[in-house]
mmCIF file of all heavy atoms in Angstrom:
data_model
loop_
_atom_site.group_PDB
_atom_site.id
_atom_site.type_symbol
_atom_site.label_atom_id
_atom_site.label_comp_id
_atom_site.label_asym_id
_atom_site.label_seq_id
_atom_site.Cartn_x
_atom_site.Cartn_y
_atom_site.Cartn_z
ATOM 1 N N ILE P 44 35.068 76.324 56.225
ATOM 2 C CA ILE P 44 33.683 75.945 55.994
ATOM 3 C C ILE P 44 33.508 75.552 54.541
ATOM 4 O O ILE P 44 34.240 76.028 53.667
ATOM 5 C CB ILE P 44 32.709 77.068 56.369
ATOM 6 C CG1 ILE P 44 33.015 78.335 55.589
ATOM 7 C CG2 ILE P 44 32.736 77.366 57.851
ATOM 8 C CD1 ILE P 44 32.001 79.450 55.820
ATOM 9 N N GLU P 45 32.516 74.680 54.303
ATOM 10 C CA GLU P 45 32.267 74.254 52.930
ATOM 11 C C GLU P 45 31.843 75.460 52.061
ATOM 12 O O GLU P 45 31.120 76.312 52.483
ATOM 13 C CB GLU P 45 31.126 73.213 52.897
ATOM 14 C CG GLU P 45 31.502 71.852 53.371
ATOM 15 C CD GLU P 45 30.399 70.833 53.104
ATOM 16 O OE1 GLU P 45 29.407 71.211 52.456
ATOM 17 O OE2 GLU P 45 30.524 69.684 53.579
ATOM 18 N N ILE P 46 32.355 75.427 50.836
ATOM 19 C CA ILE P 46 31.912 76.429 49.865
ATOM 20 C C ILE P 46 30.569 75.933 49.274
ATOM 21 O O ILE P 46 30.493 74.816 48.792
ATOM 22 C CB ILE P 46 32.944 76.617 48.753
ATOM 23 C CG1 ILE P 46 34.254 77.156 49.303
ATOM 24 C CG2 ILE P 46 32.392 77.527 47.676
ATOM 25 C CD1 ILE P 46 35.384 77.221 48.294
ATOM 26 N N ASN P 47 29.549 76.784 49.344
ATOM 27 C CA ASN P 47 28.242 76.450 48.745
ATOM 28 C C ASN P 47 28.170 77.205 47.424
ATOM 29 O O ASN P 47 27.899 78.399 47.363
ATOM 30 C CB ASN P 47 27.103 76.860 49.674
ATOM 31 C CG ASN P 47 25.732 76.458 49.095
ATOM 32 O OD1 ASN P 47 25.638 75.997 47.966
ATOM 33 N ND2 ASN P 47 24.681 76.629 49.905
ATOM 34 N N PRO P 48 28.371 76.498 46.302
ATOM 35 C CA PRO P 48 28.361 77.197 44.984
ATOM 36 C C PRO P 48 27.012 77.784 44.615
ATOM 37 O O PRO P 48 26.938 78.668 43.771
ATOM 38 C CB PRO P 48 28.800 76.091 44.006
ATOM 39 C CG PRO P 48 28.379 74.819 44.678
ATOM 40 C CD PRO P 48 28.542 75.063 46.149
ATOM 41 N N CYS P 49 25.973 77.299 45.277
ATOM 42 C CA CYS P 49 24.631 77.779 44.938
ATOM 43 C C CYS P 49 24.415 79.223 45.397
ATOM 44 O O CYS P 49 23.453 79.878 44.971
ATOM 45 C CB CYS P 49 23.572 76.868 45.573
ATOM 46 S SG CYS P 49 23.597 75.174 44.965
ATOM 47 N N LEU P 50 25.274 79.710 46.253
ATOM 48 C CA LEU P 50 25.093 81.069 46.795
ATOM 49 C C LEU P 50 25.556 82.141 45.815
ATOM 50 O O LEU P 50 25.241 83.314 46.003
ATOM 51 C CB LEU P 50 25.855 81.209 48.122
ATOM 52 C CG LEU P 50 25.418 80.265 49.239
ATOM 53 C CD1 LEU P 50 26.289 80.495 50.496
ATOM 54 C CD2 LEU P 50 23.944 80.480 49.579
ATOM 55 N N VAL P 51 26.285 81.730 44.833
ATOM 56 C CA VAL P 51 26.805 82.685 43.825
ATOM 57 C C VAL P 51 26.257 82.322 42.462
ATOM 58 O O VAL P 51 26.498 81.218 41.960
ATOM 59 C CB VAL P 51 28.334 82.690 43.782
ATOM 60 C CG1 VAL P 51 28.839 83.680 42.732
ATOM 61 C CG2 VAL P 51 28.916 83.039 45.157
ATOM 62 N N ASN P 52 25.483 83.246 41.871
ATOM 63 C CA ASN P 52 24.970 83.052 40.499
ATOM 64 C C ASN P 52 24.219 81.745 40.329
ATOM 65 O O ASN P 52 24.290 81.094 39.299
ATOM 66 C CB ASN P 52 26.133 83.137 39.497
ATOM 67 C CG ASN P 52 25.646 83.349 38.072
ATOM 68 O OD1 ASN P 52 24.584 83.949 37.841
ATOM 69 N ND2 ASN P 52 26.379 82.832 37.108
ATOM 70 N N ASN P 53 23.469 81.364 41.422
ATOM 71 C CA ASN P 53 22.670 80.134 41.398
ATOM 72 C C ASN P 53 23.487 78.935 41.001
ATOM 73 O O ASN P 53 23.014 77.972 40.413
ATOM 74 C CB ASN P 53 21.458 80.278 40.464
ATOM 75 C CG ASN P 53 20.352 79.252 40.729
ATOM 76 O OD1 ASN P 53 20.178 78.848 41.885
ATOM 77 N ND2 ASN P 53 19.629 78.854 39.701
ATOM 78 N N GLY P 54 24.782 78.972 41.350
ATOM 79 C CA GLY P 54 25.670 77.809 41.106
ATOM 80 C C GLY P 54 25.908 77.510 39.637
ATOM 81 O O GLY P 54 26.290 76.383 39.284
ATOM 82 N N GLY P 55 25.644 78.513 38.775
ATOM 83 C CA GLY P 55 25.800 78.267 37.355
ATOM 84 C C GLY P 55 24.592 77.611 36.713
ATOM 85 O O GLY P 55 24.604 77.255 35.524
ATOM 86 N N CYS P 56 23.566 77.395 37.535
ATOM 87 C CA CYS P 56 22.344 76.782 37.001
ATOM 88 C C CYS P 56 21.487 77.831 36.264
ATOM 89 O O CYS P 56 21.659 79.034 36.494
ATOM 90 C CB CYS P 56 21.502 76.184 38.130
ATOM 91 S SG CYS P 56 22.348 74.961 39.148
ATOM 92 N N ASP P 57 20.596 77.344 35.442
ATOM 93 C CA ASP P 57 19.649 78.238 34.766
ATOM 94 C C ASP P 57 18.781 78.939 35.799
ATOM 95 O O ASP P 57 18.547 78.400 36.900
ATOM 96 C CB ASP P 57 18.774 77.405 33.808
ATOM 97 C CG ASP P 57 17.884 78.240 32.905
ATOM 98 O OD1 ASP P 57 16.801 78.635 33.349
ATOM 99 O OD2 ASP P 57 18.300 78.514 31.778
ATOM 100 N N ARG P 58 18.301 80.138 35.450
ATOM 101 C CA ARG P 58 17.463 80.873 36.432
ATOM 102 C C ARG P 58 16.131 80.164 36.692
ATOM 103 O O ARG P 58 15.468 80.422 37.695
ATOM 104 C CB ARG P 58 17.231 82.286 35.941
ATOM 105 C CG ARG P 58 16.415 82.415 34.658
ATOM 106 C CD ARG P 58 16.444 83.843 34.135
ATOM 107 N NE ARG P 58 15.682 84.002 32.920
ATOM 108 C CZ ARG P 58 14.418 84.414 32.862
ATOM 109 N NH1 ARG P 58 13.800 84.738 33.990
ATOM 110 N NH2 ARG P 58 13.803 84.566 31.717
ATOM 111 N N ASN P 59 15.768 79.216 35.806
ATOM 112 C CA ASN P 59 14.575 78.418 36.015
ATOM 113 C C ASN P 59 14.908 77.026 36.504
ATOM 114 O O ASN P 59 14.224 76.050 36.195
ATOM 115 C CB ASN P 59 13.754 78.340 34.713
ATOM 116 C CG ASN P 59 13.187 79.708 34.333
ATOM 117 O OD1 ASN P 59 12.525 80.366 35.153
ATOM 118 N ND2 ASN P 59 13.472 80.139 33.136
ATOM 119 N N ALA P 60 16.007 76.916 37.240
ATOM 120 C CA ALA P 60 16.460 75.649 37.817
ATOM 121 C C ALA P 60 16.750 75.837 39.305
ATOM 122 O O ALA P 60 16.984 76.953 39.764
ATOM 123 C CB ALA P 60 17.717 75.136 37.104
ATOM 124 N N GLU P 61 16.703 74.726 40.014
ATOM 125 C CA GLU P 61 17.046 74.762 41.446
ATOM 126 C C GLU P 61 18.466 74.207 41.616
ATOM 127 O O GLU P 61 18.809 73.155 41.078
ATOM 128 C CB GLU P 61 16.067 73.889 42.225
ATOM 129 C CG GLU P 61 16.366 73.825 43.725
ATOM 130 C CD GLU P 61 15.417 72.932 44.479
ATOM 131 O OE1 GLU P 61 14.797 72.046 43.831
ATOM 132 O OE2 GLU P 61 15.305 73.089 45.690
ATOM 133 N N CYS P 62 19.301 74.935 42.338
ATOM 134 C CA CYS P 62 20.671 74.530 42.634
ATOM 135 C C CYS P 62 20.675 73.839 43.985
ATOM 136 O O CYS P 62 20.189 74.418 44.967
ATOM 137 C CB CYS P 62 21.583 75.732 42.612
ATOM 138 S SG CYS P 62 23.303 75.324 42.983
ATOM 139 N N THR P 63 21.199 72.615 44.017
ATOM 140 C CA THR P 63 21.265 71.856 45.286
ATOM 141 C C THR P 63 22.693 71.465 45.565
ATOM 142 O O THR P 63 23.335 70.796 44.761
ATOM 143 C CB THR P 63 20.387 70.607 45.201
ATOM 144 O OG1 THR P 63 19.041 70.951 44.825
ATOM 145 C CG2 THR P 63 20.363 69.864 46.524
ATOM 146 N N GLN P 64 23.185 71.912 46.745
ATOM 147 C CA GLN P 64 24.564 71.562 47.117
ATOM 148 C C GLN P 64 24.652 70.109 47.463
ATOM 149 O O GLN P 64 23.812 69.561 48.184
ATOM 150 C CB GLN P 64 25.010 72.413 48.334
ATOM 151 C CG GLN P 64 26.461 72.170 48.691
ATOM 152 C CD GLN P 64 26.900 72.920 49.964
ATOM 153 O OE1 GLN P 64 26.078 73.555 50.621
ATOM 154 N NE2 GLN P 64 28.170 72.839 50.307
ATOM 155 N N THR P 65 25.654 69.426 46.907
ATOM 156 C CA THR P 65 25.842 67.987 47.167
ATOM 157 C C THR P 65 27.107 67.699 47.941
ATOM 158 O O THR P 65 27.311 66.591 48.412
ATOM 159 C CB THR P 65 25.887 67.232 45.838
ATOM 160 O OG1 THR P 65 26.939 67.750 45.022
ATOM 161 C CG2 THR P 65 24.544 67.352 45.102
ATOM 162 N N GLY P 66 27.981 68.678 48.062
ATOM 163 C CA GLY P 66 29.243 68.497 48.766
ATOM 164 C C GLY P 66 30.021 69.796 48.752
ATOM 165 O O GLY P 66 29.533 70.833 48.283
#
Side-chain angles (χ1 to χ4, degrees):
I44 58 175
E45 285 188 7
I46 297 172
N47 183 352
C49 297
L50 300 177
V51 179
N52 196 30
N53 199 31
C56 303
D57 188 276
R58 64 190 180 96
N59 293 307
E61 179 183 21
C62 179
T63 304
Q64 184 185 5
T65 57

